[in-house]
């Protein structure tokens, strides 16, 4: 029994040592589509950014609803509403564009993806706390 206990304790201690060597998260970036429910902590102790990569399609759909059928009338309507459209959608458009740029930079190949400290990526977990727990348990995979 003692022979098994010592290796188990040593293995457990080695696992704790590896987890302790991982840097604490300072930045967490979540990449998801609009259909994914992303769970984020209320007051994270790190910089948190959620990118919705498909928001442009949603905005296009919203803008096209209610447009006049005649192209010139539709264009005139959009020109009249340009300032309001910019105010309403600019932050979402910038977020989506930045998210696409970062997803390409990290070479992400599926969603959802949680990138921690710009070094480790956890795929398929839209819950930030769960993704961080996985990160702490593993050495982390390079994006």
């Amino acid at each position: 029994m003692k022979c098994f206990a010592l290796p188990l304790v040593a293995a457990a201690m080695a696992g704790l040592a590896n987890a302790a060597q991982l840097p604490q998260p300072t930045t967490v970036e979540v990449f998801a589509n609009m259909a994914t429910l992303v769970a984020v902590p209320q007051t994270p102790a790190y910089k948190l950014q959620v990118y919705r990569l498909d928001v442009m399609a949603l905005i296009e759909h919203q803008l096209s609803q209610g447009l006049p059928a005649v192209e010139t009338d539709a264009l005139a309507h959009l020109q009249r509403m340009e300032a309001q459209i910019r105010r309403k959608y600019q932050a979402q458009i910038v977020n989506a564009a930045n998210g696409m740029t970062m997803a390409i930079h990290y070479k992400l190949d599926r969603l959802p993806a949680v990138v921690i400290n710009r070094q480790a990526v956890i795929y398929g977990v839209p819950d930030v706390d769960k993704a961080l727990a996985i990160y702490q348990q593993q050495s982390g995979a390079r994006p």
Side-chain angles (χ1 to χ4, degrees), residues 43-102:
T43 54
Y46 44 81
K47 181 181 175 192
L48 175 65
Q49 181 67 50
V50 177
Y51 296 107
R52 298 293 184 164
L53 302 185
D54 63 344
V55 78
M56 295 299 293
L58 177 67
I59 291 171
E60 182 180 332
H61 175 72
Q62 289 174 350
L63 288 175
S64 66
Q65 289 183 336
L67 280 179
V70 178
E71 185 177 347
T72 56
D73 294 343
L75 184 57
H77 173 75
L78 289 173
Q79 287 174 342
R80 281 193 308 275
M81 301 297 292
E82 182 179 359
Q84 181 181 354
I85 291 168
R86 284 183 188 273
R87 276 193 306 275
K88 184 174 181 179
Y89 295 111
Q90 185 171 8
Q92 292 175 350
I93 292 169
V94 168
N95 175 278
N98 288 341
M100 289 300 293
T101 301
M102 295 307 296

Side-chain angles (χ1 to χ4, degrees), residues 29-33 38 49-53 98-104 106 108 110-115:
E29 297 164 287
V30 182
F31 298 83
N33 58 27
V38 176
Q49 181 67 50
V50 177
Y51 296 107
R52 298 293 184 164
L53 302 185
N98 288 341
M100 289 300 293
T101 301
M102 295 307 296
I104 292 167
Y106 293 137
L108 300 178
R110 58 190 173 274
L111 299 176
V114 178
V115 177

Side-chain angles (χ1 to χ4, degrees), residues 108-125:
L108 300 178
D109 58 11
R110 58 190 173 274
L111 299 176
V114 178
V115 177
I116 302 163
N117 291 342
R118 298 183 175 154
Q119 296 177 350
V121 63
I122 308 296
Y123 286 107
V125 182

